[in-house]
Amino acid sequence: MTKSSLTGLFEDTAVAFRYKSDAAVRKAYLIFSLLNHPWLSALASSAATLALKLSLPVGSIIRKTVFDLFCGGESIETTALAVERLGKYGVHTILDYSVEGEHTEAGFDHVMHETVRTIERAAKSTLIPFSVFKVTGLGHAA
């Protein structure tokens, strides 16, 4: 896709969001409108972090709002449906494995294994042009 066709894609919201229902577009607009206020975004992020640390049942709220908006799944396998659905509309997907904070060799090995799996999955699909990962998940920061 050329730069000019990409520009047209993002200027024409009917094309850019044609894979979403009207309700999904309204929901995304509402969430982005709220996140556009830095103080509200910081407050929501802090509240979610605290709620998760306190084991409050907020997982379904997070899943139905920001997770559904930004994530296609929790594993390579569960993203397959989103990749295929977006691909039908000419939208390519990025596999983003962004885990960090591991402290054991077993944890680092697991992150490395999953990172390699995302790269291998992207290599096999024309709908996934590349994958992304956090290097800080692969070992201790020196």
Side-chain angles (χ1 to χ4, degrees):
M1 196 172 268
T2 66
K3 182 178 177 183
S4 61
S5 64
L6 278 176
T7 302
L9 174 69
F10 289 110
E11 288 176 356
D12 184 352
T13 56
V15 172
F17 298 106
R18 68 182 172 203
Y19 67 94
K20 289 189 173 284
S21 68
D22 289 348
V25 170
R26 283 191 294 274
K27 176 181 162 185
Y29 179 79
L30 174 65
I31 292 170
F32 278 118
S33 295
L34 295 172
L35 293 176
N36 197 34
H37 300 284
W39 65 270
L40 186 56
S41 183
L43 179 64
S45 180
S46 295
T49 300
L50 178 61
L52 290 169
K53 283 183 182 178
L54 295 174
S55 299
L56 297 176
V58 296
S60 62
I61 295 168
I62 293 169
R63 173 165 298 289
K64 292 185 184 297
T65 56
V66 293
F67 184 89
D68 283 349
L69 186 59
F70 294 107
C71 301
E74 293 184 41
S75 69
I76 295 170
E77 294 75 25
T78 60
T79 61
L81 183 61
V83 170
E84 292 299 320
R85 183 173 47 92
L86 292 169
K88 290 178 184 176
Y89 293 94
V91 177
H92 292 174
T93 305
I94 300 167
L95 285 182
D96 182 347
Y97 188 67
S98 56
V99 171
E100 61 183 359
E102 295 293 334
H103 301 289
T104 65
E105 287 306 313
F108 293 132
D109 287 347
H110 176 74
V111 170
M112 181 191 66
H113 174 72
E114 289 301 305
T115 299
V116 169
R117 288 185 60 222
T118 65
I119 294 167
E120 290 171 344
R121 176 68 176 99
K124 294 176 184 173
S125 175
T126 58
L127 299 175
I128 308 170
F130 58 93
S131 62
V132 177
F133 63 94
K134 289 187 174 185
V135 177
T136 54
L138 299 174
H140 290 287

